[in-house]
Amino acid sequence: MTVPTIVLNNGVSIPQLGFGVYQIDPDETKDATLAALEIGYRHIDTAQMYGNEAGVGEAVRASGLDRAEVFVTSKLNNAFHAHDDAIKAFDESLERLGFDQLDLFLIHWPLPGIDVDFVETWKALEEIYRSGRAKSIGVSNFQPSHLRRLIQDTEIVPAVNQIEVHPYLTQDEVRSVNSEHGVATEAWSPIAQGMVLDDHAITGIAAEQGKTVAQVVLRWHIQRGDIVFPKSVTRSRIEENFDLFDFELSEGDMGLITALDKGHRTGPDPDRFNYIP
Ligand code: NAD
C-alpha cells in the first residue's frame, strides 16, 4: 500500500497518513508504534507533553528501518516558550528519542493569554531549523490571527499548522488561511476521538462503500488534502486506519460529510487555552 506524500513549503516530503500517540501510555508506546511501523506507517506524531517520546524512539530502532525512512514529529511543551528553554527542551526531546535530528518540530499551543510570546519562541525554532537538527518546523493550534502575526514578524513560514479537524469541526477558515500562506494543514483528532463513528450520514456512506465509518472519515481527510495520524493501541484498528487507498468518495459524499460541521471541538479552544503543566 503506498501512502501519498505531501511536499511541504521547504521541499521536505511528509507521508499524508501517520500514527498519533497522544494518550498512549509510555509503557505501551513502543509496542503500539512498532505495530504501526510493521503495518506500514512511516510517520509518527508525538509531543513532549505526551510523555512517550522514548517509546517512539525505541520502536523506530526495534523496527529495523533506517531512521531516514520514518518521519517523526514532536512538539514543544507549553512550559518552555522562552528562547533558551525552547532550545534546551528540543535537545532533551532528541535525547529521549535517541535521535540526532527530528523531521518536524512544532510549537504545541500559541498560549495567547499568558506572558509568553510565540514570536520569540519561533525564533528559537528558526535557530534549531538552521542548525539542521529539525528538518522542518511548524506550529499547532494557531488561529489565523496567530499565524498572520508569526509570518509578519519572523523569517521562516511554518511548514505546517496542526489543528483539530473532523466532520463536526471542518475548520474551513483556518485551512484556507493556512493554504493561502503555503502552510500544510495537519488534522488532529481526525475521527473526533470516536465521536463521529455513530453518525448516520457517515454510517450510510460506509455501508455503500463496504468500509468502516473510521475509514470513510479518514478517507475524507485524505481527499481534502490534509495530513492525518489517527491513534489506536489495537492492532486491528491500526490496520483498519491504514487501509484507505482502495476506494474513493464521490464529490457528493465528500460534500455530505463536510456539511456535518457544527463547530464542535473535542479539545480546547486555542484562543482560550493557556495551560502550563
Ligand atoms: P483520534 O480522532 O485519532 O481518535 C482516537 C480514538 O478513537 C482512540 O482512542 C480509539 O479509541 C478510537 N479509534 C481509533 N481508530 C478507531 C477505529 N478504526 N474504530 C473505532 N475506534 C477507533 O484522536 P486523537 O488521538 O486525539 O488524535 C490523533 C492524534 O492527533 C493524536 O494521537 C496526536 O498525535 C494528535 N493530536 C494533537 C493535538 C495537538 O494539540 N496538536 C491534540 C490532540 C491530538
Side-chain angles (χ1 to χ4, degrees), residues 131-163:
S131 77
R133 286 175 297 153
K135 282 171 91 171
S136 304
I137 50 175
V139 295
S140 178
N141 299 302
F142 271 44
Q143 299 283 51
S145 62
H146 307 139
L147 192 64
R148 289 197 183 101
R149 182 168 160 243
L150 190 73
I151 290 172
Q152 191 180 309
D153 292 355
T154 66
E155 288 174 8
I156 299 173
V157 175
V160 310
N161 185 10
Q162 183 178 128
I163 55 172

Short mmCIF file of all heavy atoms in Angstrom, two decimals, residues 131-163:
data_model
loop_
_atom_site.label_atom_id
_atom_site.label_comp_id
_atom_site.label_asym_id
_atom_site.label_seq_id
_atom_site.Cartn_x
_atom_site.Cartn_y
_atom_site.Cartn_z
N SER A 131 20.19 25.04 12.23
CA SER A 131 21.29 24.17 12.67
C SER A 131 21.18 22.78 12.04
O SER A 131 22.09 21.96 12.17
CB SER A 131 21.27 24.01 14.20
OG SER A 131 20.24 23.10 14.57
N GLY A 132 20.03 22.48 11.41
CA GLY A 132 19.84 21.17 10.78
C GLY A 132 19.29 20.11 11.72
O GLY A 132 19.07 18.97 11.32
N ARG A 133 19.06 20.47 13.00
CA ARG A 133 18.60 19.45 13.95
C ARG A 133 17.11 19.15 13.80
O ARG A 133 16.63 18.14 14.27
CB ARG A 133 18.94 19.87 15.38
CG ARG A 133 20.44 19.71 15.66
CD ARG A 133 20.81 20.24 17.02
NE ARG A 133 20.55 21.67 17.09
CZ ARG A 133 20.26 22.34 18.20
NH1 ARG A 133 20.18 21.70 19.34
NH2 ARG A 133 20.05 23.64 18.17
N ALA A 134 16.35 20.06 13.14
CA ALA A 134 14.97 19.75 12.74
C ALA A 134 14.89 20.02 11.24
O ALA A 134 15.27 21.10 10.78
CB ALA A 134 13.98 20.64 13.48
N LYS A 135 14.39 19.03 10.49
CA LYS A 135 14.33 19.20 9.03
C LYS A 135 13.24 20.19 8.63
O LYS A 135 13.29 20.79 7.57
CB LYS A 135 14.07 17.86 8.36
CG LYS A 135 15.33 17.00 8.28
CD LYS A 135 15.02 15.60 7.82
CE LYS A 135 15.12 15.49 6.31
NZ LYS A 135 15.02 14.05 5.91
N SER A 136 12.21 20.30 9.48
CA SER A 136 11.14 21.27 9.25
C SER A 136 10.63 21.74 10.60
O SER A 136 10.74 21.01 11.60
CB SER A 136 9.96 20.63 8.49
OG SER A 136 10.38 20.07 7.28
N ILE A 137 10.04 22.94 10.61
CA ILE A 137 9.43 23.45 11.84
C ILE A 137 8.02 23.96 11.51
O ILE A 137 7.75 24.36 10.38
CB ILE A 137 10.28 24.58 12.49
CG1 ILE A 137 10.65 25.67 11.47
CG2 ILE A 137 11.51 24.00 13.16
CD1 ILE A 137 11.38 26.87 12.08
N GLY A 138 7.16 23.93 12.53
CA GLY A 138 5.79 24.35 12.29
C GLY A 138 5.11 24.72 13.59
O GLY A 138 5.75 24.82 14.64
N VAL A 139 3.80 24.91 13.49
CA VAL A 139 3.02 25.31 14.66
C VAL A 139 1.81 24.40 14.79
O VAL A 139 1.49 23.63 13.89
CB VAL A 139 2.55 26.80 14.54
CG1 VAL A 139 3.75 27.72 14.57
CG2 VAL A 139 1.70 27.02 13.30
N SER A 140 1.15 24.51 15.93
CA SER A 140 -0.05 23.73 16.19
C SER A 140 -1.05 24.61 16.92
O SER A 140 -0.65 25.43 17.76
CB SER A 140 0.32 22.51 17.03
OG SER A 140 -0.83 21.75 17.32
N ASN A 141 -2.30 24.46 16.58
CA ASN A 141 -3.39 25.19 17.24
C ASN A 141 -3.28 26.69 17.04
O ASN A 141 -3.71 27.47 17.91
CB ASN A 141 -3.42 24.83 18.74
CG ASN A 141 -3.65 23.35 18.95
OD1 ASN A 141 -4.67 22.82 18.51
ND2 ASN A 141 -2.71 22.66 19.58
N PHE A 142 -2.68 27.12 15.92
CA PHE A 142 -2.61 28.55 15.64
C PHE A 142 -3.87 29.00 14.90
O PHE A 142 -4.24 28.42 13.88
CB PHE A 142 -1.35 28.88 14.83
CG PHE A 142 -0.14 29.18 15.69
CD1 PHE A 142 0.16 28.39 16.80
CD2 PHE A 142 0.69 30.26 15.42
CE1 PHE A 142 1.25 28.67 17.62
CE2 PHE A 142 1.78 30.56 16.23
CZ PHE A 142 2.07 29.76 17.33
N GLN A 143 -4.52 30.00 15.44
CA GLN A 143 -5.67 30.61 14.77
C GLN A 143 -5.13 31.55 13.68
O GLN A 143 -3.95 31.93 13.72
CB GLN A 143 -6.48 31.41 15.79
CG GLN A 143 -7.04 30.57 16.94
CD GLN A 143 -8.25 29.75 16.53
OE1 GLN A 143 -8.22 29.04 15.52
NE2 GLN A 143 -9.31 29.83 17.29
N PRO A 144 -5.97 31.97 12.73
CA PRO A 144 -5.48 32.84 11.65
C PRO A 144 -4.72 34.07 12.16
O PRO A 144 -3.68 34.43 11.62
CB PRO A 144 -6.76 33.23 10.91
CG PRO A 144 -7.65 32.03 11.10
CD PRO A 144 -7.37 31.54 12.50
N SER A 145 -5.20 34.69 13.26
CA SER A 145 -4.51 35.90 13.74
C SER A 145 -3.11 35.55 14.24
O SER A 145 -2.16 36.32 14.02
CB SER A 145 -5.33 36.55 14.87
OG SER A 145 -5.44 35.65 15.96
N HIS A 146 -2.96 34.40 14.89
CA HIS A 146 -1.64 33.99 15.38
C HIS A 146 -0.70 33.72 14.21
O HIS A 146 0.46 34.13 14.21
CB HIS A 146 -1.74 32.73 16.25
CG HIS A 146 -2.74 32.82 17.36
ND1 HIS A 146 -3.58 31.79 17.71
CD2 HIS A 146 -3.05 33.84 18.19
CE1 HIS A 146 -4.35 32.16 18.71
NE2 HIS A 146 -4.05 33.40 19.02
N LEU A 147 -1.23 33.03 13.21
CA LEU A 147 -0.40 32.65 12.06
C LEU A 147 0.06 33.90 11.29
O LEU A 147 1.23 34.04 10.94
CB LEU A 147 -1.20 31.73 11.14
CG LEU A 147 -0.40 31.03 10.05
CD1 LEU A 147 0.64 30.08 10.66
CD2 LEU A 147 -1.32 30.25 9.12
N ARG A 148 -0.89 34.82 11.09
CA ARG A 148 -0.54 36.05 10.34
C ARG A 148 0.54 36.83 11.08
O ARG A 148 1.48 37.33 10.48
CB ARG A 148 -1.78 36.92 10.16
CG ARG A 148 -2.77 36.33 9.18
CD ARG A 148 -3.77 37.37 8.69
NE ARG A 148 -4.74 36.76 7.81
CZ ARG A 148 -5.98 36.40 8.19
NH1 ARG A 148 -6.41 36.63 9.41
NH2 ARG A 148 -6.80 35.84 7.31
N ARG A 149 0.40 36.94 12.41
CA ARG A 149 1.39 37.70 13.17
C ARG A 149 2.76 37.02 13.10
O ARG A 149 3.79 37.67 12.90
CB ARG A 149 0.94 37.83 14.64
CG ARG A 149 1.91 38.65 15.42
CD ARG A 149 1.43 39.07 16.80
NE ARG A 149 2.62 39.40 17.54
CZ ARG A 149 3.05 38.78 18.63
NH1 ARG A 149 2.32 37.81 19.15
NH2 ARG A 149 4.17 39.11 19.19
N LEU A 150 2.76 35.71 13.21
CA LEU A 150 4.03 34.98 13.16
C LEU A 150 4.72 35.20 11.81
O LEU A 150 5.92 35.48 11.75
CB LEU A 150 3.77 33.48 13.36
CG LEU A 150 5.02 32.64 13.57
CD1 LEU A 150 5.58 32.91 14.96
CD2 LEU A 150 4.72 31.16 13.42
N ILE A 151 3.93 35.10 10.74
CA ILE A 151 4.52 35.22 9.40
C ILE A 151 5.03 36.65 9.18
O ILE A 151 6.08 36.86 8.58
CB ILE A 151 3.49 34.77 8.34
CG1 ILE A 151 3.30 33.25 8.44
CG2 ILE A 151 3.93 35.18 6.94
CD1 ILE A 151 2.19 32.68 7.60
N GLN A 152 4.30 37.61 9.70
CA GLN A 152 4.70 39.01 9.53
C GLN A 152 5.99 39.34 10.30
O GLN A 152 6.82 40.09 9.82
CB GLN A 152 3.57 39.90 10.04
CG GLN A 152 3.75 41.36 9.67
CD GLN A 152 2.58 42.16 10.23
OE1 GLN A 152 1.42 41.79 10.01
NE2 GLN A 152 2.88 43.20 10.97
N ASP A 153 6.14 38.76 11.49
CA ASP A 153 7.25 39.18 12.37
C ASP A 153 8.46 38.26 12.36
O ASP A 153 9.40 38.49 13.13
CB ASP A 153 6.74 39.27 13.83
CG ASP A 153 5.75 40.41 14.00
OD1 ASP A 153 5.53 41.15 13.03
OD2 ASP A 153 5.18 40.54 15.10
N THR A 154 8.46 37.20 11.57
CA THR A 154 9.61 36.28 11.57
C THR A 154 9.98 35.93 10.14
O THR A 154 9.32 36.35 9.18
CB THR A 154 9.28 34.99 12.36
OG1 THR A 154 8.26 34.27 11.67
CG2 THR A 154 8.83 35.28 13.78
N GLU A 155 11.04 35.14 9.98
CA GLU A 155 11.57 34.90 8.63
C GLU A 155 11.07 33.63 7.98
O GLU A 155 10.84 33.58 6.79
CB GLU A 155 13.10 34.86 8.70
CG GLU A 155 13.67 36.25 8.94
CD GLU A 155 15.18 36.26 9.16
OE1 GLU A 155 15.83 35.21 8.97
OE2 GLU A 155 15.67 37.34 9.55
N ILE A 156 10.91 32.56 8.78
CA ILE A 156 10.56 31.27 8.18
C ILE A 156 9.06 31.01 8.34
O ILE A 156 8.53 31.08 9.45
CB ILE A 156 11.37 30.13 8.84
CG1 ILE A 156 12.88 30.37 8.60
CG2 ILE A 156 10.95 28.77 8.29
CD1 ILE A 156 13.79 29.40 9.34
N VAL A 157 8.40 30.75 7.22
CA VAL A 157 6.97 30.42 7.27
C VAL A 157 6.83 28.98 7.78
O VAL A 157 7.52 28.08 7.30
CB VAL A 157 6.34 30.55 5.85
CG1 VAL A 157 4.88 30.09 5.86
CG2 VAL A 157 6.46 31.98 5.36
N PRO A 158 5.96 28.76 8.78
CA PRO A 158 5.80 27.39 9.29
C PRO A 158 5.47 26.41 8.15
O PRO A 158 4.73 26.76 7.22
CB PRO A 158 4.61 27.51 10.26
CG PRO A 158 4.54 28.95 10.62
CD PRO A 158 5.07 29.72 9.45
N ALA A 159 6.01 25.20 8.26
CA ALA A 159 5.72 24.18 7.24
C ALA A 159 4.32 23.64 7.41
O ALA A 159 3.66 23.28 6.43
CB ALA A 159 6.75 23.05 7.34
N VAL A 160 3.85 23.55 8.67
CA VAL A 160 2.51 23.01 8.92
C VAL A 160 1.84 23.80 10.04
O VAL A 160 2.51 24.45 10.85
CB VAL A 160 2.54 21.51 9.36
CG1 VAL A 160 3.36 20.65 8.42
CG2 VAL A 160 3.04 21.32 10.79
N ASN A 161 0.52 23.71 10.08
CA ASN A 161 -0.26 24.13 11.25
C ASN A 161 -1.14 22.93 11.61
O ASN A 161 -2.01 22.53 10.83
CB ASN A 161 -1.10 25.37 10.92
CG ASN A 161 -1.84 25.92 12.13
OD1 ASN A 161 -1.60 25.50 13.26
ND2 ASN A 161 -2.76 26.86 11.90
N GLN A 162 -0.88 22.34 12.76
CA GLN A 162 -1.63 21.14 13.19
C GLN A 162 -2.81 21.59 14.05
O GLN A 162 -2.61 22.15 15.13
CB GLN A 162 -0.68 20.21 13.98
CG GLN A 162 -1.37 18.93 14.39
CD GLN A 162 -0.47 17.95 15.14
OE1 GLN A 162 -0.82 17.47 16.21
NE2 GLN A 162 0.67 17.61 14.57
N ILE A 163 -4.03 21.36 13.56
CA ILE A 163 -5.23 21.86 14.23
C ILE A 163 -6.28 20.75 14.34
O ILE A 163 -6.21 19.76 13.61
CB ILE A 163 -5.85 23.06 13.45
CG1 ILE A 163 -6.12 22.68 11.99
CG2 ILE A 163 -4.94 24.28 13.54
CD1 ILE A 163 -6.88 23.72 11.19
#
